[in-house]
Amino acid sequence: MHHPIIASEQDRLKALDSLDVLDTPTEQRFDRFTRLAARAFGVPIALVSLVDGERQWFKSRCGLDVAETPRSIAFCSHVVAQGEMMVIEDAKQDPRFAANPLVLGAPHVRFYAGQPLFSDGQPVGTLCIIDRAPRRFDAEQRQALRELAELVENELQHVKVATARLMAEQALKSLNKELEQRVAARTAELERKLGELSQEIARRKEIEVSLQHSEDWNRTIVASSYSGFVGADADGRVIEWNASAERIFGWPRAQALGRKLSELIVPHALRHAHEAGMKRCLETGHGRVLNSKIELPALTASGRQITVEMTISSYEWKGKRCFGAFLNDISERIRTRQQLEEKQEMLDAILESIDVGVVACDAVGNLSLFNRAARTVAGRDLESIVPAEWSQHYSLFHVDGRTPLAMDEIPLVRALKGETVRNEAMVIAPDGGAPHTLLASGRPLRSASGRPLGAVVAMKCITELNAAREQTEASERRLRAITENLPAMIGKVDANGRFVYLNGHALAAYGKSAAELLGQDVSAAYRPEDYVRLRPCLERAAAGEHVAFEYVGGAPGRELHYQCCFVPQRTAAGAPDGYYAMAIDVTERKLGELRLAESEERLRTITDNVPVLIAHLDSARRYVFANAVHQSWLGKPAEQILGKTMEEAFGADYVEPQAKALAQAWSGQASQCEHEIVRKKHTRIAHTTFLPQLRDGQVAGVYVLTLDATASRLHERSLHALAHTDTLTGLPNRRHFESALQGAVKRTPRLQRGTALLYLDVDHFKQINDRYGHAVGDAVLVEFARRLRSAVRSSDLVSRLAGDEFTVLLNDVAGEADVEAVVRKIQAAMRPPFELDAVVLQVGTSIGAALAEQPEPPPERLLDTADRALYMAKEAGRNTWAMLRLGRSHSLALVHG
């Protein structure tokens, strides 16, 4: 026999291989579906089958011993080929399968129904049911098989979903590490600038002292100062304007001299206050801005407003009072500081969002950082306690979970003492909470000058990870520790211009091994165009000259700046004999703006590739950042979103379900909500987190992170439906009925109307089963349920408790007449014969009714009353009904039916 082959067979096999399920052991999560299918459809065999190239292999089997069969005789191969459900009601009557060995021999297939299972759009297998006797398979049963197959598909996709989640976690860890490096670099840059500023202040003081001794010397200093110097007479007209002032404000000296200072650089709104201050200083000899450093706005020749840092003083010259001011354009410094603050806010927001616990302390051991993940694991918030109390307060233990950590064993304490901690296993077991096993990695924090700043520890919860993953991560961390480099490039070149020594950092920078460079000419380490620029300095050093210079070198995708120094080596006779070379990477100092742009690009690359909507709203509630996922989810690229409000970009219908949570974020509190995103007839269940951006206690913006929660929510709904529905009739089951009954009796007092409960049995149902078989009995129950549901109101609850026992819960009942009307409709619905596939039957029903008119009738009392009424109806000869009324004193009153 031959099996059908589809055109996309290679793609189908690739999709099957990507599941990584073939030939794996049996799993309870699949076996429960085959058992459920066998029970639900009343068949002896149910299978989860995966169709490989030459065989069909069973991931789960119920009622069958063999684990696989050749594909050439597989029914499931035909289902995969046609890509939709296949039903064979009698295989011996189907020419495709009449001679099939599985029909003629074990397991003697007569009935077969299979629903394809898909992965990446390709049919990879089936959920199928098999019977050894022919049978009919109606539309409702087909739909039930499809829905059960969808649950099996979700389980097949579970591993791929877990892999995607792991990749997202790794991306977040990488982002966290990069942000730490960026913060350290920014801290070093600020400290360097502070040092430069201190030097500038000292130099200015020296200039002020020299001005008192020599006017000529003053003019020389003023002309050569990097700071702009502006002198003005008593009328406020410019009498001195150095080259730096020309550079800062754009006015040539010739055009500035003689003009009023207020017209040149003072913004219009401040001119009145400026002239009043000069007048007051001339009259009193004092001014609140004299001899102090202030920041204020100023205008350039082009009309652009900048921020300057100014130190102004007054002096006597030729019997007149004059003013002199040193000015520096600090607009760029302020912008850089604001950008750094914004990046710090983003870093704080990300630290609160990631699942890695981060704890930090300052140099004296005061806890300064305790992010959300750390608080969740520890079960406590950040508190000001000494390191000696950390172990007991936060319940820190060794891996055994029983031995408390001594103070010197705590990873954060060890890091504070200068140790680099790598993947130390520990346990946090908070009182009343579940213990957590973690891997802690810590390191001391130091400034660029080596000054201790404190320590930080990152804790990753590994409670649910397996041993293989722990070993893999440990190996990766050890490898990273081994590959750390020295902070400078150091080398030695001999008299012939060949390398004789290179340290590890130099080899890493050149991207070559020691075997490739040692003994080779220096030119071997550089690209030709870079070597041409460097050669003059190399030749000077080879000639015996001490050379110091800055060098910009090319690297793939990056420009690097180095502070280089060549120190010549001489023979005993004083002749040049090679030189030593040292290069320090000063890229961070030279390319601060470029690093900021590159970091933003890296951040966008990460956010564009994480399956999450990420956005940032400014104080005007307009988008200033939106990642590329907005286009795939919402159909709009980022460039069409930026500058718009959320409502302008996506409409009021998109904003309305998120409005309450968004308003809470604008009030300064983090918030979350779930809503639906509908695009091109596809509905996505989204989980959105709003994180406020706080600046000086005010909300300056809101970060928006939206995850796709569709799969998990649909899975929850499917499980809920299975747990509350009778699989044979599709009616609510006993659990659903009991829950509804509790709610019904609680609503009775509020509505001031009654509640009624009907108990129904199928008359002589056991005789039907015994005479015609369980298949006919099941068909009777299904038809009985259909007629019963059609005979009552949509607001009434029809349930199947077990076997042939049914209930109808009637809400909002005015009295006995309402109950009797419903009973008469049910009896009328049951009178026509039950025309089943194999037989036509006359089916009757006995009904017991309980009517409760008192407020809040006890559910158990109502149940017992209906059961008694049913017993009375059966005693009266069956196919009739009886009613008992539960009065306000809980007395029973009989009403004949």
Side-chain angles (χ1 to χ4, degrees):
M1 302 183 70
H2 299 284
H3 60 272
I5 300 296
I6 62 177
S8 59
E9 178 69 6
Q10 293 302 319
D11 293 338
R12 191 191 70 78
L13 292 176
K14 185 182 297 183
L16 176 60
D17 290 340
S18 69
L19 293 175
D20 199 19
V21 174
L22 284 175
D23 298 315
T24 58
T26 60
E27 297 181 63
Q28 181 64 28
R29 60 193 181 110
F30 290 102
D31 292 344
R32 62 183 178 183
F33 289 114
T34 52
R35 291 195 301 267
L36 179 60
R39 289 196 299 267
F41 296 104
V43 296
I45 300 173
L47 307 169
V48 173
S49 171
L50 299 177
V51 180
D52 202 354
E54 298 298 331
R55 58 170 180 160
Q56 70 168 350
W57 176 80
F58 305 126
K59 175 61 183 174
S60 176
R61 56 189 188 272
C62 176
L64 190 65
D65 294 332
V66 297
E68 61 181 53
T69 66
R71 184 175 176 181
S72 60
I73 63 173
F75 282 58
C76 296
S77 181
H78 292 265
V79 179
V80 167
Q82 67 188 37
E84 59 185 18
M85 179 181 290
M86 183 179 79
V87 177
I88 307 298
E89 295 184 341
D90 189 347
K92 285 189 176 181
Q93 302 303 319
D94 192 314
R96 295 173 296 174
F97 304 105
N100 192 296
L102 301 178
V103 175
L104 299 177
H108 300 287
V109 178
R110 292 293 298 276
F111 168 79
Y112 172 90
Q115 170 65 23
L117 303 175
F118 293 89
S119 177
D120 294 336
Q122 296 292 334
V124 297
T126 70
L127 171 64
C128 64
I129 56 175
I130 296 172
D131 201 343
R132 297 184 178 92
R135 60 186 296 171
R136 297 292 299 275
F137 204 60
D138 60 28
E140 187 172 356
Q141 290 174 311
R142 293 174 188 238
Q143 182 59 31
L145 184 60
R146 290 190 189 96
E147 293 175 354
L148 196 57
E150 290 178 0
L151 297 179
V152 177
E153 281 185 10
N154 290 338
E155 289 297 338
L156 284 173
Q157 298 294 333
H158 176 73
V159 173
K160 298 179 75 173
V161 172
T163 302
R165 185 180 297 114
L166 178 60
M167 292 177 66
E169 290 177 357
Q170 291 174 342
L172 285 175
K173 288 171 64 179
S174 175
L175 175 60
N176 182 38
K177 181 178 179 181
E178 183 178 328
L179 290 175
E180 286 182 358
Q181 294 172 348
R182 190 184 311 153
V183 170
R186 284 298 183 192
T187 302
E189 177 69 10
L190 290 176
E191 290 181 348
R192 183 190 64 76
K193 288 185 177 181
L194 180 61
E196 292 177 352
L197 183 60
S198 300
Q199 293 174 0
E200 180 66 18
I201 293 172
R203 189 164 64 84
R204 290 183 186 178
K205 289 183 178 179
E206 294 175 359
I207 292 173
E208 291 174 0
V209 172
S210 65
L211 281 172
Q212 298 175 3
H213 294 85
S214 171
E215 182 178 340
D216 293 338
W217 181 244
N218 287 346
R219 291 188 179 279
T220 301
I221 296 299
V222 167
S224 61
S225 174
Y226 180 79
S227 300
F229 180 79
V230 177
D233 60 15
D235 294 329
R237 297 187 180 277
V238 176
I239 60 175
E240 184 57 58
W241 189 269
N242 73 346
S244 293
E246 291 182 335
R247 172 178 53 80
I248 294 172
F249 297 106
W251 290 103
R253 175 182 172 83
Q255 294 182 23
L257 294 178
R259 293 186 63 179
K260 277 205 166 187
L261 185 63
S262 60
E263 297 175 355
L264 286 177
I265 66 173
V266 179
H268 188 271
L270 302 178
R271 289 177 183 174
H272 178 73
H274 167 78
E275 293 176 351
M278 289 190 65
K279 180 179 180 181
R280 184 167 55 251
C281 183
L282 288 172
E283 292 174 352
T284 63
H286 301 285
R288 56 189 178 87
V289 299
L290 291 178
N291 303 315
S292 60
K293 186 182 296 182
I294 60 173
E295 295 181 5
L296 70 165
L299 290 178
T300 66
S302 64
R304 181 172 61 92
Q305 183 167 302
I306 62 175
T307 302
V308 296
E309 182 181 75
M310 181 183 74
T311 303
I312 187 171
S313 61
S314 65
Y315 59 93
E316 292 287 339
W317 186 65
K318 295 183 179 181
K320 296 182 179 180
R321 181 165 300 276
C322 298
F323 299 91
F326 284 92
L327 305 101
N328 282 294
D329 183 359
I330 61 171
S331 301
E332 188 63 24
R333 186 173 72 193
I334 291 175
R335 187 179 71 84
T336 301
R337 183 175 61 202
Q338 290 175 344
Q339 290 176 337
L340 184 60
E341 290 174 353
E342 290 176 358
K343 295 301 179 184
Q344 182 62 44
E345 291 174 356
M346 180 173 285
L347 174 62
D348 292 341
I350 292 174
L351 284 175
E352 284 297 298
S353 301
I354 62 175
D355 293 331
V356 177
V358 181
V359 181
C361 67
D362 60 20
V364 296
N366 295 317
L367 293 175
S368 57
L369 173 63
F370 216 72
N371 75 339
R372 176 193 57 79
R375 296 193 298 271
T376 300
V377 171
R380 294 177 178 270
D381 207 340
L382 185 149
E383 299 180 42
S384 298
I385 57 175
V386 296
E389 298 177 2
W390 288 351
S391 179
Q392 180 178 2
H393 187 75
Y394 291 109
S395 304
L396 308 181
F397 297 90
H398 285 277
V399 180
D400 60 10
R402 297 185 301 274
T403 308
L405 287 178
M407 184 182 76
D408 292 339
E409 296 173 328
I410 299 173
L412 186 59
V413 175
R414 292 164 58 188
L416 186 61
K417 292 182 177 181
E419 181 182 350
T420 298
V421 181
R422 300 287 183 183
N423 298 313
E424 285 289 336
M426 59 180 290
V427 171
I428 296 181
D431 293 340
H436 297 272
T437 302
L438 307 104
L439 285 181
S441 296
R443 55 184 293 184
L445 298 177
R446 294 187 176 87
S447 66
S449 61
R451 180 172 59 87
L453 300 176
V456 64
V457 166
M459 301 178 295
K460 176 63 178 178
C461 184
I462 59 169
T463 305
E464 298 180 357
L465 297 181
N466 55 43
R469 182 179 298 175
E470 293 176 351
Q471 294 173 357
T472 301
E473 292 179 352
S475 298
E476 292 175 351
R477 287 192 291 269
R478 285 196 295 271
L479 181 59
R480 288 194 295 268
I482 293 171
T483 57
E484 289 180 351
N485 298 307
L486 296 175
M489 298 171 59
I490 301 173
K492 172 68 172 63
V493 179
D494 64 15
N496 296 318
R498 292 185 174 88
F499 286 119
V500 295
Y501 170 76
L502 287 168
N503 72 341
H505 188 74
L507 292 172
Y510 289 138
K512 297 183 178 181
S513 66
E516 292 176 296
L517 290 179
L518 295 183
Q520 301 297 316
D521 191 271
V522 174
S523 62
Y526 297 91
R527 297 183 303 176
E529 58 270 27
D530 292 336
Y531 181 71
V532 169
R533 293 188 292 109
L534 189 62
R535 185 167 58 184
C537 297
L538 297 173
E539 292 174 347
R540 290 166 57 193
E545 182 180 347
H546 187 287
V547 184
F549 61 97
E550 288 191 2
Y551 168 74
V552 179
R558 189 182 179 201
E559 190 177 68
L560 301 175
H561 292 248
Y562 296 95
Q563 183 70 45
C564 302
C565 179
F566 294 163
V567 180
Q569 181 182 14
R570 297 181 181 275
T571 64
D577 187 28
Y579 53 90
Y580 295 95
M582 182 175 69
I584 300 175
D585 188 348
V586 294
T587 306
E588 297 299 331
R589 176 171 62 85
K590 290 291 185 179
L591 303 177
E593 293 181 2
L594 181 59
R595 283 179 58 86
L596 178 61
E598 290 174 348
S599 66
E600 289 175 349
E601 182 179 354
R602 286 193 296 271
L603 179 61
R604 175 165 286 280
T605 299
I606 293 172
T607 57
D608 284 350
N609 289 278
V610 173
V612 179
L613 288 181
I614 302 176
H616 182 203
L617 305 176
D618 63 10
S619 57
R621 306 194 179 192
R622 297 184 179 275
Y623 284 98
V624 294
F625 176 85
N627 69 342
V629 182
H630 284 74
Q631 182 165 9
S632 60
W633 284 21
L634 298 170
K636 288 192 176 182
E639 56 268 20
Q640 294 183 14
I641 301 172
L642 299 183
K644 297 181 179 180
T645 65
M646 189 178 291
E647 185 169 346
E648 291 171 348
F650 304 113
D653 291 341
Y654 178 76
V655 178
E656 193 275 332
Q658 307 176 69
K660 183 176 180 181
L662 185 56
Q664 187 176 355
W666 284 114
S667 69
Q669 300 179 21
S671 59
Q672 298 181 351
C673 68
E674 284 199 359
H675 56 99
E676 292 185 348
I677 297 176
V678 181
R679 180 170 179 258
K680 295 182 178 180
K681 299 182 180 180
H682 173 67
T683 300
R684 190 189 308 271
I685 301 174
H687 182 91
T688 298
T689 300
F690 297 103
L691 302 173
Q693 176 194 11
L694 299 176
R695 182 181 298 157
D696 298 329
Q698 301 296 320
V699 178
V702 169
Y703 298 104
V704 185
L705 297 94
T706 302
L707 303 175
D708 188 344
T710 306
S712 60
R713 295 297 179 268
L714 293 180
H715 185 62
E716 291 172 2
R717 294 174 185 176
S718 298
L719 292 179
H720 183 274
L722 286 174
H724 290 78
T725 304
D726 177 53
T727 56
L728 176 63
T729 64
L731 295 178
N733 61 10
R734 181 183 292 274
R735 179 184 297 177
H736 191 158
F737 164 72
E738 291 175 349
S739 175
L741 181 61
Q742 292 288 341
V745 299
K746 290 181 180 178
R747 288 194 299 270
T748 301
R750 183 170 66 252
L751 298 174
Q752 296 300 317
R753 296 172 72 88
T755 298
L757 177 63
L758 306 184
Y759 257 18
L760 303 91
D761 273 356
V762 177
D763 289 340
H764 309 296
F765 180 71
K766 184 177 183 304
Q767 297 177 13
I768 295 174
N769 267 341
D770 293 343
R771 181 175 180 181
Y772 299 104
H774 288 283
V776 172
D778 287 348
V780 168
L781 294 177
V782 171
E783 176 63 14
F784 187 89
R786 185 191 67 77
R787 296 188 185 189
L788 181 59
R789 184 159 44 188
S790 65
V792 300
R793 300 170 299 180
S794 59
S795 59
D796 299 330
L797 178 67
V798 178
S799 307
R800 180 192 178 202
L801 300 187
D804 63 330
E805 297 180 7
F806 293 82
T807 63
V808 180
L809 181 61
L810 304 175
N811 296 310
D812 194 19
V813 177
E816 298 172 3
D818 285 356
V819 178
E820 182 174 355
V822 173
V823 171
R824 299 297 185 190
K825 287 182 66 177
I826 294 173
Q827 289 180 325
M830 300 303 171
R831 287 193 188 100
F834 280 44
E835 297 181 356
L836 308 177
D837 291 340
V839 67
V840 176
L841 297 176
Q842 193 70 42
V843 178
T845 179
S846 299
I847 304 174
L851 174 62
E853 297 176 326
Q854 81 281 16
E856 299 189 23
E860 61 277 5
R861 183 73 168 172
L862 195 61
L863 289 168
D864 181 66
T865 302
D867 187 56
R868 293 186 183 186
L870 176 62
Y871 179 78
M872 295 172 62
K874 290 181 178 181
E875 287 290 311
R878 297 183 181 270
N879 199 23
T880 185
W881 68 284
M883 182 192 307
L884 291 175
R885 185 173 60 251
L886 187 62
R888 295 185 178 273
S889 61
H890 291 188
S891 61
L892 296 177
L894 175 62
V895 178
H896 295 286

